[in-house]
Amino acid sequence: MSYIIGKSCVDCMDTSCVDVCPVDCIHGPIDINGAGSEVKKQGRSAFPGGQLYIDPGTCIDCGACVPECPVDAIYEDEDIAIKAGEEAFVHKNYEFFGLKYT
């Protein structure tokens, strides 16, 4: 189980969640290891339709990111995200890291 970033992050990409993550597991919108650095350098407008993602293999489920998200886009786990109608974003999150959610 991993925290999941949902559709509210699309075009927002506020990197406050990245800054508080103790294991640097939040990345995107392009670089799978960049910790949102491209957003910080180029700005949100450079990535229309972009979002951040949580690496399910690195996330330690600490929840530090949740209160930092200004748009409440972070779900505690896949099941909660799916129940909220965010199944496509669960898959998208895993696929960003070359994984498959089953």
Side-chain angles (χ1 to χ4, degrees):
M1 297 284 219
S2 173
Y3 280 69
I4 296 292
I5 298 179
K7 65 184 167 194
S8 296
C9 185
V10 173
D11 290 326
C12 177
M13 294 173 285
D14 181 279
T15 56
S16 298
C17 58
V18 174
D19 296 336
V20 299
C21 180
V23 294
D24 296 326
C25 72
I26 304 172
H27 304 285
I30 305 296
D31 187 349
I32 65 168
N33 294 307
S37 62
E38 61 262 48
V39 175
K40 292 178 181 180
K41 289 177 187 171
Q42 299 176 46
R44 298 175 197 168
S45 62
F47 305 97
Q51 74 168 88
L52 300 175
Y53 303 91
I54 297 175
D55 185 341
T58 307
C59 180
I60 59 170
D61 300 328
C62 71
C65 57
V66 174
E68 299 303 317
C69 181
V71 293
D72 296 324
I74 303 173
Y75 295 92
E76 188 175 334
D77 64 39
E78 297 90 346
D79 291 338
I80 293 171
I82 291 168
K83 287 178 185 167
E86 301 266 15
E87 184 169 0
F89 284 85
V90 171
H91 292 284
K92 189 174 181 180
N93 193 89
Y94 273 76
E95 290 165 4
F96 181 76
F97 296 102
L99 303 170
K100 184 174 179 159
Y101 177 70
T102 55

